[in-house]
Amino acid sequence: MGDHKEQPLRVGAAVRRRRRSLELTLAVVAERSGLSVPFLSQIENDRARPSTGSLEKVADALRTTAVELLAAADPACSVDVVRAEVAEQLQGQTPDAEPRSRSLVRGHHQMHASEFTGDHDAGREFQYRNDQLMYVADGAVEIEAEGRAYRLGRGDTLYLTGGVRHRWRATVADTRVVVVAVAEHIEAVRDRGRKR
């Protein structure tokens, strides 16, 4: 119960994302696939489930495969619980303990979230394509971004736009950091040449 793997997939969002990434209109996809614009609209809005044959026609029109569209599909459920690991693994770590990370979101979604417990590889530099938010649940961290150092304590957040190179490290034992980011498969990158 509550496990998204038991639910049917919603392929509509995957079709829409693919169509938009190719900058195609529904009319163009309809012409290429031989399907009607209203039917394609119903598929994209998950009001109609395409047959295997229709999905293959849509995939061909979008220069991909039905398998790829299904792999990028969203689960039909809107609620999914990810249970915490055993409490001993997340609490009471010593500075010598191995750092741990766990995904807080399962599946292929528009958002990704991870929890990091313990120290972190301070020498590793990150650069994500899309925006992200770092929240210090416990402890403290130091984050270097855009040539500046930021010290964050419990309850503090730092927002980074996509493309910003950064690195971070825990400065207190038993630090827990939650990182929430727009998923890599989402086209959320702004034109970096334009001023905001």
Side-chain angles (χ1 to χ4, degrees), residues 85-94 97 100 117 174:
E85 294 177 3
V86 178
E88 298 90 279
Q89 291 179 341
L90 295 177
Q91 297 175 355
Q93 292 188 4
T94 64
R100 300 194 192 285
T117 304
D174 299 330

Side-chain angles (χ1 to χ4, degrees), residues 37-190:
V37 170
F39 181 59
L40 289 171
S41 177
Q42 288 177 341
I43 290 172
E44 284 193 2
N45 291 300
D46 290 311
R47 286 191 220 121
R49 293 186 67 189
S51 66
T52 302
S54 293
L55 186 59
E56 287 172 357
K57 289 177 183 180
V58 171
D60 287 344
L62 296 174
R63 298 183 212 129
T64 189
T65 65
V67 171
E68 288 294 320
L69 287 175
L70 288 171
D74 294 332
C77 66
S78 60
V79 176
D80 187 31
V81 175
V82 177
R83 299 284 179 199
E85 294 177 3
V86 178
E88 298 90 279
Q89 291 179 341
L90 295 177
Q91 297 175 355
Q93 292 188 4
T94 64
D96 296 333
E98 285 291 316
R100 300 194 192 285
S101 68
R102 71 180 181 112
S103 180
L104 301 176
V105 178
R106 270 192 295 223
H108 195 74
H109 296 285
Q110 296 181 15
M111 181 183 71
H112 182 73
S114 296
E115 177 185 61
F116 297 90
T117 304
D119 203 357
H120 186 70
D121 182 2
R124 184 172 175 201
E125 185 175 67
F126 297 91
Q127 181 180 26
Y128 294 99
R129 179 174 146 184
N130 293 322
D131 296 359
Q132 72 170 355
L133 175 83
M134 298 180 77
Y135 169 73
V136 181
D138 284 310
V141 297
E142 186 174 271
I143 302 167
E144 181 186 319
E146 302 260 314
R148 291 186 59 196
Y150 301 89
R151 289 194 169 97
L152 302 179
R154 184 174 183 221
D156 291 342
T157 62
L158 179 81
Y159 184 87
L160 299 161
T161 58
V164 172
R165 292 181 185 275
H166 64 283
R167 66 183 87 227
W168 64 277
R169 67 181 184 91
T171 57
V172 173
D174 299 330
T175 292
R176 285 189 314 125
V177 176
V178 175
V179 178
V180 180
V182 176
E184 290 291 315
H185 70 277
I186 301 297
E187 294 291 330
V189 178
R190 293 176 197 84

